[in-house]
């Protein structure tokens, strides 16, 4: 089921695109990659800092996201579900293999989910066994290849390929945007309430 949904994905969550109430703002293009800040349209507070690229083969996108605390990086695949497609199989899981160029092969698990907007988007979160090394290879490589094996699916595996030109610059910028926000934001303990000084005792009591 996931294989079919990925094969018919019809759009990408890229530089200036938005879905529902969120958008990727403050974008910059580096090679094939785009970096920026995911925000709600009604609230400029960052939800996450994203670096994203589209697959060479279809319209599925690969995203590297940094949370607002700048302490956690997550990897995911994002695609739109074609109108009228059966979304009953969106919640799924399986294993995957990843390889950058001719470097080592990384294994891991994946879990798919959908949002609450009528199952129009499918998210596949990747959980690599060695995420730090996979990200390192991704930033210095040319092509990332993925093979997703679906638990209980007899249709076989899903194969995806992503160009990596610009990945290092995009990921560095995402990290810099996050760290810049941390630098500008005062810690909770440093916020002092504004105090008004009465002109006289009569103004106060």
């Amino acid at each position: 089921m996931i294989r079919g949904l990925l094969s018919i994905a019809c759009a990408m969550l890229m530089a200036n695109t938005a879905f529902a109430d969120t958008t990727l703002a403050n974008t910059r293009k580096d090679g094939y990659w785009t970096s920026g800040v995911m925000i709600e349209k009604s609230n400029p507070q960052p939800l996450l800092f994203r670096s994203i690229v589209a697959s060479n083969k279809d319209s599925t996108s690969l995203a590297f996201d940094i949370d607002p605390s700048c302490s956690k990086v997550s990897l995911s695949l994002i695609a739109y579900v074609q109108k009228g497609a059966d979304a009953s199989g969106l919640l799924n899981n399986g294993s995957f293999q990843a390889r950058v160029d001719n470097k080592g092969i990384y294994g891991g698990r994946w879990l798919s989910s959908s949002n609450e907007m009528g199952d129009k988007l499918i998210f596949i979160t990747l959980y690599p066994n060695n995420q730090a090394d996979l990200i390192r290879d991704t930033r210095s490589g040319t092509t990332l290849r993925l093979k997703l094996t679906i638990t209980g699916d007899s249709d076989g595996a899903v194969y995806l390929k992503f160009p990596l030109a610009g990945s290092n610059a995009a990921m560095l910028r995402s990290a810099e945007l996050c760290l810049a926000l941390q630098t500008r934001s005062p810690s909770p303990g440093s916020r002092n309430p504004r105090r008004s000084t009465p002109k006289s005792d009569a103004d106060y009591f």
Side-chain angles (χ1 to χ4, degrees):
M1 179 61 188
I2 297 295
R3 181 182 185 182
L5 289 173
L6 288 177
S7 298
I8 61 176
C10 60
M12 298 169 290
L13 199 66
M14 291 297 288
N16 295 315
T17 62
F19 184 80
D21 296 325
T22 62
T23 187
L24 188 61
N26 192 13
T27 59
R28 191 183 80 184
K29 186 80 172 179
D30 290 288
Y32 292 99
W33 288 67
T34 300
S35 59
V37 185
M38 287 296 297
I39 61 172
E40 294 180 354
K41 294 178 181 178
S42 59
N43 184 0
Q45 188 69 23
L47 300 174
L48 52 85
F49 300 85
R50 171 165 288 172
S51 304
I52 191 167
V53 65
S55 169
N56 281 333
K57 185 177 180 181
D58 56 33
S59 298
T60 305
S61 296
L62 172 67
F64 286 70
D65 295 329
I66 303 174
D67 75 342
S69 70
C70 306
S71 62
K72 182 180 179 181
V73 179
S74 59
L75 285 65
S76 61
L77 299 170
I78 308 172
Y80 277 85
V81 177
Q82 189 181 53
K83 185 177 181 180
D86 179 12
S88 61
L90 286 176
L91 298 178
N92 216 321
N93 65 86
S95 60
F96 76 90
Q97 290 182 314
R99 190 177 192 184
V100 175
D101 302 331
N102 293 321
K103 299 179 181 180
I105 299 175
Y106 297 92
R109 303 289 300 176
W110 61 265
L111 177 66
S112 67
S113 62
S114 58
N115 62 8
E116 298 177 357
M117 310 296 180
D119 293 333
K120 293 180 181 179
L121 275 180
I122 179 173
F123 300 88
I124 297 180
T125 305
L126 304 177
Y127 300 96
N129 294 334
N130 197 334
Q131 179 168 293
D133 287 348
L134 176 57
I135 292 176
R136 179 201 62 205
D137 287 352
T138 298
R139 292 174 59 179
S140 61
T142 302
T143 303
L144 171 64
R145 299 186 301 280
L146 287 175
K147 174 185 176 182
L148 280 72
T149 303
I150 304 159
T151 302
D153 193 331
S154 59
D155 289 341
V158 175
Y159 296 88
L160 297 168
K161 184 186 295 185
F162 298 92
L164 299 181
S167 59
N168 185 53
M171 291 184 197
L172 283 175
R173 180 172 183 264
S174 294
E176 290 169 356
L177 289 172
C178 189
L179 292 173
L181 177 68
Q182 292 291 317
T183 301
R184 292 195 304 268
S185 301
S187 60
S190 65
R191 297 178 181 176
N192 295 320
R194 174 173 285 185
R195 298 176 180 175
S196 59
T197 303
K199 294 179 182 179
S200 67
D201 286 351
D203 295 330
Y204 188 77
F205 293 105

